Amino acid sequence: MSNITAKSALISVFHKDGLEPIVKKMSELGIAIYSTGGTEKFINDLGIPVIPVENVTSYPSILGGRVKTLHPKVFGGILNRRDHEGDVAQLAEYDIPQIDIVIVDLYPFEKTVASGAPEQDIIEKIDIGGISLIRAAAKNFKDTLCVSTMDDYGKLLNVLEEGNGTTTVDQRKEFAATAFDISSHYDSAIYNYFAGDSVNKSLKMSQQDVMPLRYGENPHQRGWFYGDFESMFTKLHGKALSYNNLLDVDAAVNLMSEFVDDAPTFAVFKHNNACGVAQRDTIHQAYVDALAGDPVSAFGGILISNVEIDVATATEIHKLFCEVVIAPSFDPAALEILKGKKNRIMLELVGDALSRKRNTNALEVRASLNGYLVQDANLKTDTKEDLKTATELAPTEAQIEDLLFASKLCKHTKSNTIVLAKNKQLCASGTGQTSRVDALNQAIHKAQSFKFDLQGAVMASDAFFPFPDCVEIADNAGVKAVIQPGGSIKDELSIDYCNKNDIAMVFTGTRHFKH
């Protein structure tokens, strides 16, 4: 049966916002309403006739409300097939009412978990009757309309008004798809709560927020972002984001999360790697010095600040073609300057988004072969307490500051990588090279091509040096302090070279590969 004119509805919801116009429309259309508990009271208070489910089942709500609708007379009314003679006969035999529309939502399990509530409160928010009603009504979409979320109340009202209570099978199937999306997401959340941090747990990912992108990695590929983008950013201006934009935005935010509450810091990103970073007394000077790190690569790049962007900084940025500018806030006049390019994307970080990104315990997931690779996010940041001086010469306090600055940049640069820094400014980095020597030579060449004086600079490496060649090459370029994980069986060769050439070297004990 394709078109069905509703004569009855079962309504039992946790969220009642937006429900009033629906029940009034049902009453106007002559649709009989069955309900339970708080929803029944809500409808009664509106002065609209409502039939308690207990009148159908002859059983009250029991076990503190845990069992209300789990009864054959309820589920028979939902699951029966109108074109099946046996089903129709049994409805008559057992006096089971036909139920044409089911409006049910679920207890807020995820919100209860997020609130830090005790376990017993969380357990009580695992919906049993609601999820069963949703699955039953969605399964029987050919005969029953299922509304499983308050987000669809407006859509249901339109359907009722436009069809005078009559629905099509296509409409019911569309509502059913939403219902199974809701139920599968709900079950995934429950499973992940119970599984906790178990190393052997199944991978259950469910994200209902989706944002279509301009395109994927290339224009012929489609792209989407799944996640609550608006919890991290307010988009103030510009064109739609692309897949590549978001990869760069993610890389930029990951790096800048290392500099929360630090002095003004600015970074310029291109293809997921920082091509310019500087920390200064003002954000204007930080931007100028970050741009100096590689003004060529900065063209079309992603820019990010850890403090508000002022007019002076915006005026300088406006001279550059860049895809995205990110900051915790923008001076109103600065924002107007940056809006001067209609396609430039302006993203304002929401609240403590940088801190939240830094402190999250999220897993990193990527497709691999015919499955997925999953790992803990790399939340380890090298600190002064982690440093072990491996050489006779210890780094100065100023060098330690530069070494830790360089280490943060190194952690967020594609491997193999070498980072050269001086006075809290990125001089250059070698990125994504197949050998550490190649990465170092690339960094030196790049720094020298932009006229950086590497005398007194520091070097950071994402992994240990298997041979002393890197420290020798760095020494010849002017590097005077090195930070690296250590751990090579030939560490002593690098240490010996440093000792003979007055280079300070510290070990962190932590590798920072990034692929």
Side-chain angles (χ1 to χ4, degrees), residues 304-368:
I304 187 168
S305 168
N306 71 337
V307 298
E308 180 175 273
I309 290 181
D310 55 22
V311 170
T313 309
T315 301
E316 289 299 320
I317 292 174
H318 193 54
K319 299 173 184 177
L320 174 73
F321 169 70
C322 56
E323 287 274 319
V324 184
V325 183
I326 310 164
S329 59
F330 295 85
D331 177 278
L335 182 59
E336 289 308 308
I337 292 170
L338 294 170
K339 283 182 176 180
K341 297 289 177 67
K342 67 176 183 178
N343 287 329
R344 181 184 285 146
I345 300 167
M346 309 295 299
L347 299 179
E348 186 172 82
L349 290 154
V350 173
D352 61 347
L354 282 180
S355 296
R356 282 186 280 119
K357 180 68 172 175
R358 178 76 190 95
N359 296 323
T360 182
N361 291 316
L363 298 175
E364 292 181 348
V365 182
R366 66 199 301 181
S368 177

Side-chain angles (χ1 to χ4, degrees), residues 241-260:
L241 287 149
S242 72
Y243 182 96
N244 292 334
N245 286 156
L246 283 178
L247 286 177
D248 283 331
V249 167
D250 181 63
V253 169
N254 284 337
L255 172 62
M256 200 54 71
S257 70
E258 305 277 2
F259 296 99
V260 174

Side-chain angles (χ1 to χ4, degrees), residues 134-154:
I134 286 172
R135 290 180 64 84
K139 172 181 178 177
N140 201 34
F141 70 89
K142 288 185 178 180
D143 297 288
T144 310
L145 176 67
C146 178
V147 180
S148 54
T149 169
M150 63 183 297
D151 294 339
D152 276 352
Y153 286 177

Side-chain angles (χ1 to χ4, degrees), residues 23-92:
V23 294
K24 286 183 174 179
K25 173 54 67 173
M26 286 183 171
S27 178
E28 179 187 318
L29 293 170
I31 297 174
I33 299 174
Y34 298 90
S35 192
T36 64
T39 309
E40 178 190 339
K41 181 179 183 303
F42 174 82
I43 297 171
N44 260 322
D45 289 346
L46 293 174
I48 294 173
V50 57
I51 305 167
V53 167
E54 291 92 331
N55 289 6
V56 176
T57 64
S58 299
Y59 274 89
S61 172
I62 62 172
L63 306 181
R66 282 189 165 196
V67 180
K68 288 181 284 192
T69 57
L70 296 170
H71 194 281
K73 282 198 170 184
V74 174
F75 281 85
I78 295 169
L79 283 165
N80 74 89
R81 295 156 290 185
R82 296 168 193 257
D83 58 356
H84 191 285
E85 291 184 7
D87 287 5
V88 174
Q90 285 190 321
L91 287 187

Side-chain angles (χ1 to χ4, degrees), residues 432-510:
Q433 299 301 301
T434 52
S435 84
R436 204 153 300 284
V437 170
D438 285 347
L440 175 55
N441 284 330
Q442 182 190 51
I444 292 170
H445 172 76
K446 190 173 181 180
Q448 291 173 343
S449 69
F450 290 117
K451 309 304 180 186
F452 278 97
D453 178 7
L454 292 178
Q455 289 299 320
V458 304
M459 173 173 71
S461 175
D462 58 343
F464 63 63
F465 299 120
F467 304 102
D469 45 7
C470 281
V471 290
E472 181 177 355
I473 295 169
D475 175 34
N476 291 334
V479 169
K480 291 302 178 186
V482 177
I483 185 169
Q484 59 135 320
S488 169
I489 60 174
K490 296 184 178 180
D491 275 344
E492 287 301 323
L493 297 179
S494 294
I495 294 171
D496 288 344
Y497 182 91
C498 290
N499 284 335
K500 291 175 184 177
N501 293 276
D502 297 324
I503 298 173
M505 183 162 64
V506 295
F507 290 171
T508 65
T510 302

Side-chain angles (χ1 to χ4, degrees), residues 196-199 201 203 357-358 360-366 373-380 411 511-514:
D197 292 328
S198 170
V199 295
K201 70 177 185 179
L203 177 61
K357 180 68 172 175
R358 178 76 190 95
T360 182
N361 291 316
L363 298 175
E364 292 181 348
V365 182
R366 66 199 301 181
L373 284 171
V374 182
Q375 67 172 356
D376 295 327
N378 182 4
L379 301 180
K380 171 63 179 172
K411 169 185 169 182
R511 190 179 73 185
H512 288 297
F513 271 167
K514 184 173 186 284

Side-chain angles (χ1 to χ4, degrees), residues 393-403 481 504:
L393 180 65
T396 65
E397 285 301 314
Q399 285 177 327
I400 288 174
E401 288 190 9
D402 269 355
L403 288 168

